[in-house]
PDB file of all heavy atoms in Angstrom:
ATOM      1  N   GLN A 393       8.569  24.417 -14.015  1.00  0.00           N
ATOM      2  CA  GLN A 393       7.997  23.156 -14.415  1.00  0.00           C
ATOM      3  C   GLN A 393       8.249  21.972 -13.485  1.00  0.00           C
ATOM      4  O   GLN A 393       7.486  20.970 -13.398  1.00  0.00           O
ATOM      5  CB  GLN A 393       8.562  22.762 -15.804  1.00  0.00           C
ATOM      6  CG  GLN A 393       8.070  23.617 -16.928  1.00  0.00           C
ATOM      7  CD  GLN A 393       8.891  24.916 -17.024  1.00  0.00           C
ATOM      8  OE1 GLN A 393      10.072  24.998 -16.606  1.00  0.00           O
ATOM      9  NE2 GLN A 393       8.230  26.081 -17.487  1.00  0.00           N
ATOM     10  N   THR A 394       9.328  22.040 -12.648  1.00  0.00           N
ATOM     11  CA  THR A 394       9.806  20.849 -11.984  1.00  0.00           C
ATOM     12  C   THR A 394       9.810  21.126 -10.442  1.00  0.00           C
ATOM     13  O   THR A 394      10.313  22.044  -9.942  1.00  0.00           O
ATOM     14  CB  THR A 394      11.270  20.510 -12.399  1.00  0.00           C
ATOM     15  OG1 THR A 394      11.276  20.396 -13.761  1.00  0.00           O
ATOM     16  CG2 THR A 394      11.722  19.260 -11.725  1.00  0.00           C
ATOM     17  N   THR A 395       9.115  20.162  -9.791  1.00  0.00           N
ATOM     18  CA  THR A 395       9.192  20.125  -8.321  1.00  0.00           C
ATOM     19  C   THR A 395       9.798  18.705  -7.830  1.00  0.00           C
ATOM     20  O   THR A 395       9.413  17.688  -8.325  1.00  0.00           O
ATOM     21  CB  THR A 395       7.760  20.154  -7.710  1.00  0.00           C
ATOM     22  OG1 THR A 395       7.230  21.354  -8.126  1.00  0.00           O
ATOM     23  CG2 THR A 395       7.780  20.193  -6.180  1.00  0.00           C
ATOM     24  N   ILE A 396      10.705  18.837  -6.946  1.00  0.00           N
ATOM     25  CA  ILE A 396      11.385  17.627  -6.447  1.00  0.00           C
ATOM     26  C   ILE A 396      10.914  17.477  -4.955  1.00  0.00           C
ATOM     27  O   ILE A 396      10.912  18.382  -4.174  1.00  0.00           O
ATOM     28  CB  ILE A 396      12.902  17.874  -6.401  1.00  0.00           C
ATOM     29  CG1 ILE A 396      13.412  18.057  -7.868  1.00  0.00           C
ATOM     30  CG2 ILE A 396      13.578  16.578  -5.857  1.00  0.00           C
ATOM     31  CD1 ILE A 396      14.878  18.449  -8.003  1.00  0.00           C
ATOM     32  N   ASN A 397      10.487  16.192  -4.727  1.00  0.00           N
ATOM     33  CA  ASN A 397       9.931  15.877  -3.408  1.00  0.00           C
ATOM     34  C   ASN A 397      10.700  14.787  -2.752  1.00  0.00           C
ATOM     35  O   ASN A 397      11.294  13.896  -3.350  1.00  0.00           O
ATOM     36  CB  ASN A 397       8.455  15.391  -3.444  1.00  0.00           C
ATOM     37  CG  ASN A 397       7.551  16.483  -4.050  1.00  0.00           C
ATOM     38  OD1 ASN A 397       7.429  17.552  -3.506  1.00  0.00           O
ATOM     39  ND2 ASN A 397       6.929  16.114  -5.137  1.00  0.00           N
ATOM     40  N   ALA A 398      10.899  14.822  -1.424  1.00  0.00           N
ATOM     41  CA  ALA A 398      11.570  13.736  -0.623  1.00  0.00           C
ATOM     42  C   ALA A 398      10.866  13.669   0.727  1.00  0.00           C
ATOM     43  O   ALA A 398      10.452  14.705   1.338  1.00  0.00           O
ATOM     44  CB  ALA A 398      12.999  14.098  -0.470  1.00  0.00           C
ATOM     45  N   GLY A 399      10.821  12.412   1.196  1.00  0.00           N
ATOM     46  CA  GLY A 399      10.243  12.195   2.549  1.00  0.00           C
ATOM     47  C   GLY A 399      10.746  10.960   3.254  1.00  0.00           C
ATOM     48  O   GLY A 399      11.182  10.061   2.560  1.00  0.00           O
ATOM     49  N   PHE A 400      10.859  11.026   4.593  1.00  0.00           N
ATOM     50  CA  PHE A 400      11.443   9.933   5.330  1.00  0.00           C
ATOM     51  C   PHE A 400      10.437   9.664   6.489  1.00  0.00           C
ATOM     52  O   PHE A 400       9.967  10.583   7.139  1.00  0.00           O
ATOM     53  CB  PHE A 400      12.857  10.189   5.861  1.00  0.00           C
ATOM     54  CG  PHE A 400      13.346   9.173   6.812  1.00  0.00           C
ATOM     55  CD1 PHE A 400      13.873   7.966   6.325  1.00  0.00           C
ATOM     56  CD2 PHE A 400      13.222   9.335   8.178  1.00  0.00           C
ATOM     57  CE1 PHE A 400      14.312   6.989   7.142  1.00  0.00           C
ATOM     58  CE2 PHE A 400      13.653   8.387   9.001  1.00  0.00           C
ATOM     59  CZ  PHE A 400      14.238   7.198   8.556  1.00  0.00           C
ATOM     60  N   SER A 401      10.191   8.415   6.716  1.00  0.00           N
ATOM     61  CA  SER A 401       9.238   7.982   7.801  1.00  0.00           C
ATOM     62  C   SER A 401      10.014   6.831   8.626  1.00  0.00           C
ATOM     63  O   SER A 401      10.560   5.911   7.988  1.00  0.00           O
ATOM     64  CB  SER A 401       7.938   7.467   7.318  1.00  0.00           C
ATOM     65  OG  SER A 401       7.244   8.526   6.706  1.00  0.00           O
ATOM     66  N   HIS A 402       9.862   6.858   9.867  1.00  0.00           N
ATOM     67  CA  HIS A 402      10.213   5.766  10.774  1.00  0.00           C
ATOM     68  C   HIS A 402       8.996   5.292  11.412  1.00  0.00           C
ATOM     69  O   HIS A 402       8.187   6.100  11.961  1.00  0.00           O
ATOM     70  CB  HIS A 402      11.263   6.244  11.863  1.00  0.00           C
ATOM     71  CG  HIS A 402      11.562   5.090  12.754  1.00  0.00           C
ATOM     72  ND1 HIS A 402      12.324   4.035  12.460  1.00  0.00           N
ATOM     73  CD2 HIS A 402      11.172   4.871  14.138  1.00  0.00           C
ATOM     74  CE1 HIS A 402      12.385   3.191  13.456  1.00  0.00           C
ATOM     75  NE2 HIS A 402      11.761   3.644  14.473  1.00  0.00           N
ATOM     76  N   VAL A 403       8.704   3.965  11.266  1.00  0.00           N
ATOM     77  CA  VAL A 403       7.496   3.346  11.755  1.00  0.00           C
ATOM     78  C   VAL A 403       7.854   2.228  12.742  1.00  0.00           C
ATOM     79  O   VAL A 403       8.701   1.372  12.389  1.00  0.00           O
ATOM     80  CB  VAL A 403       6.684   2.702  10.594  1.00  0.00           C
ATOM     81  CG1 VAL A 403       5.354   2.183  11.004  1.00  0.00           C
ATOM     82  CG2 VAL A 403       6.436   3.766   9.430  1.00  0.00           C
ATOM     83  N   ARG A 404       7.265   2.299  13.909  1.00  0.00           N
ATOM     84  CA  ARG A 404       7.496   1.265  14.895  1.00  0.00           C
ATOM     85  C   ARG A 404       6.180   0.587  15.271  1.00  0.00           C
ATOM     86  O   ARG A 404       5.156   1.301  15.467  1.00  0.00           O
ATOM     87  CB  ARG A 404       8.097   1.860  16.116  1.00  0.00           C
ATOM     88  CG  ARG A 404       8.515   0.823  17.273  1.00  0.00           C
ATOM     89  CD  ARG A 404       9.406   1.403  18.245  1.00  0.00           C
ATOM     90  NE  ARG A 404      10.777   1.753  17.654  1.00  0.00           N
ATOM     91  CZ  ARG A 404      11.711   0.861  17.459  1.00  0.00           C
ATOM     92  NH1 ARG A 404      11.623  -0.482  17.814  1.00  0.00           N
ATOM     93  NH2 ARG A 404      12.849   1.173  17.002  1.00  0.00           N
ATOM     94  N   ALA A 405       6.198  -0.730  15.278  1.00  0.00           N
ATOM     95  CA  ALA A 405       4.979  -1.499  15.499  1.00  0.00           C
ATOM     96  C   ALA A 405       4.967  -1.972  16.926  1.00  0.00           C
ATOM     97  O   ALA A 405       6.022  -2.178  17.654  1.00  0.00           O
ATOM     98  CB  ALA A 405       4.865  -2.730  14.626  1.00  0.00           C
ATOM     99  N   GLU A 406       3.748  -2.172  17.533  1.00  0.00           N
ATOM    100  CA  GLU A 406       3.606  -2.764  18.797  1.00  0.00           C
ATOM    101  C   GLU A 406       3.951  -4.261  18.763  1.00  0.00           C
ATOM    102  O   GLU A 406       4.016  -4.785  17.694  1.00  0.00           O
ATOM    103  CB  GLU A 406       2.100  -2.682  19.318  1.00  0.00           C
ATOM    104  CG  GLU A 406       1.591  -1.237  19.485  1.00  0.00           C
ATOM    105  CD  GLU A 406       0.160  -1.143  19.941  1.00  0.00           C
ATOM    106  OE1 GLU A 406      -0.457  -2.197  19.940  1.00  0.00           O
ATOM    107  OE2 GLU A 406      -0.252  -0.036  20.325  1.00  0.00           O
ATOM    108  N   ARG A 407       4.212  -4.827  19.945  1.00  0.00           N
ATOM    109  CA  ARG A 407       4.601  -6.307  19.952  1.00  0.00           C
ATOM    110  C   ARG A 407       3.353  -7.134  19.377  1.00  0.00           C
ATOM    111  O   ARG A 407       2.265  -6.854  19.701  1.00  0.00           O
ATOM    112  CB  ARG A 407       4.807  -6.723  21.396  1.00  0.00           C
ATOM    113  CG  ARG A 407       5.499  -8.148  21.437  1.00  0.00           C
ATOM    114  CD  ARG A 407       5.691  -8.535  22.886  1.00  0.00           C
ATOM    115  NE  ARG A 407       4.444  -8.906  23.546  1.00  0.00           N
ATOM    116  CZ  ARG A 407       4.371  -9.507  24.734  1.00  0.00           C
ATOM    117  NH1 ARG A 407       5.460  -9.644  25.479  1.00  0.00           N
ATOM    118  NH2 ARG A 407       3.217  -9.917  25.236  1.00  0.00           N
ATOM    119  N   ALA A 408       3.776  -8.091  18.498  1.00  0.00           N
ATOM    120  CA  ALA A 408       2.788  -8.904  17.796  1.00  0.00           C
ATOM    121  C   ALA A 408       2.938 -10.376  18.360  1.00  0.00           C
ATOM    122  O   ALA A 408       3.931 -11.032  17.914  1.00  0.00           O
ATOM    123  CB  ALA A 408       2.940  -8.840  16.369  1.00  0.00           C
ATOM    124  N   ASP A 409       2.080 -10.802  19.210  1.00  0.00           N
ATOM    125  CA  ASP A 409       2.186 -12.145  19.721  1.00  0.00           C
ATOM    126  C   ASP A 409       1.638 -13.165  18.667  1.00  0.00           C
ATOM    127  O   ASP A 409       0.695 -12.849  17.915  1.00  0.00           O
ATOM    128  CB  ASP A 409       1.323 -12.241  21.002  1.00  0.00           C
ATOM    129  CG  ASP A 409       1.858 -11.485  22.117  1.00  0.00           C
ATOM    130  OD1 ASP A 409       3.124 -11.356  22.236  1.00  0.00           O
ATOM    131  OD2 ASP A 409       1.096 -10.814  22.934  1.00  0.00           O
ATOM    132  N   ILE A 410       2.228 -14.309  18.704  1.00  0.00           N
ATOM    133  CA  ILE A 410       1.837 -15.331  17.755  1.00  0.00           C
ATOM    134  C   ILE A 410       1.873 -16.664  18.396  1.00  0.00           C
ATOM    135  O   ILE A 410       2.691 -16.956  19.288  1.00  0.00           O
ATOM    136  CB  ILE A 410       2.684 -15.374  16.500  1.00  0.00           C
ATOM    137  CG1 ILE A 410       2.196 -16.386  15.506  1.00  0.00           C
ATOM    138  CG2 ILE A 410       4.174 -15.595  16.859  1.00  0.00           C
ATOM    139  CD1 ILE A 410       2.993 -16.306  14.189  1.00  0.00           C
ATOM    140  N   SER A 411       0.873 -17.559  18.129  1.00  0.00           N
ATOM    141  CA  SER A 411       0.843 -18.906  18.668  1.00  0.00           C
ATOM    142  C   SER A 411       0.217 -19.859  17.647  1.00  0.00           C
ATOM    143  O   SER A 411      -0.799 -19.687  17.115  1.00  0.00           O
ATOM    144  CB  SER A 411       0.013 -18.878  20.041  1.00  0.00           C
ATOM    145  OG  SER A 411      -0.032 -20.251  20.514  1.00  0.00           O
ATOM    146  N   GLU A 412       0.946 -20.976  17.371  1.00  0.00           N
ATOM    147  CA  GLU A 412       0.457 -21.983  16.432  1.00  0.00           C
ATOM    148  C   GLU A 412       0.450 -23.288  17.176  1.00  0.00           C
ATOM    149  O   GLU A 412       1.453 -23.664  17.783  1.00  0.00           O
ATOM    150  CB  GLU A 412       1.309 -22.055  15.217  1.00  0.00           C
ATOM    151  CG  GLU A 412       1.358 -20.770  14.280  1.00  0.00           C
ATOM    152  CD  GLU A 412       0.129 -20.655  13.440  1.00  0.00           C
ATOM    153  OE1 GLU A 412      -0.816 -21.415  13.564  1.00  0.00           O
ATOM    154  OE2 GLU A 412       0.135 -19.788  12.485  1.00  0.00           O
ATOM    155  N   ALA A 413      -0.578 -24.018  17.025  1.00  0.00           N
ATOM    156  CA  ALA A 413      -0.778 -25.414  17.618  1.00  0.00           C
ATOM    157  C   ALA A 413      -0.687 -26.417  16.497  1.00  0.00           C
ATOM    158  O   ALA A 413      -1.217 -26.154  15.342  1.00  0.00           O
ATOM    159  CB  ALA A 413      -2.033 -25.517  18.325  1.00  0.00           C
TER     160      ALA A 413
END
Side-chain angles (χ1 to χ4, degrees):
Q393 292 80 30
T394 305
T395 303
I396 301 171
N397 299 300
F400 173 80
S401 298
H402 177 70
V403 184
R404 184 166 293 277
E406 295 179 354
R407 192 181 77 173
D409 293 322
I410 184 171
S411 179
E412 296 279 12

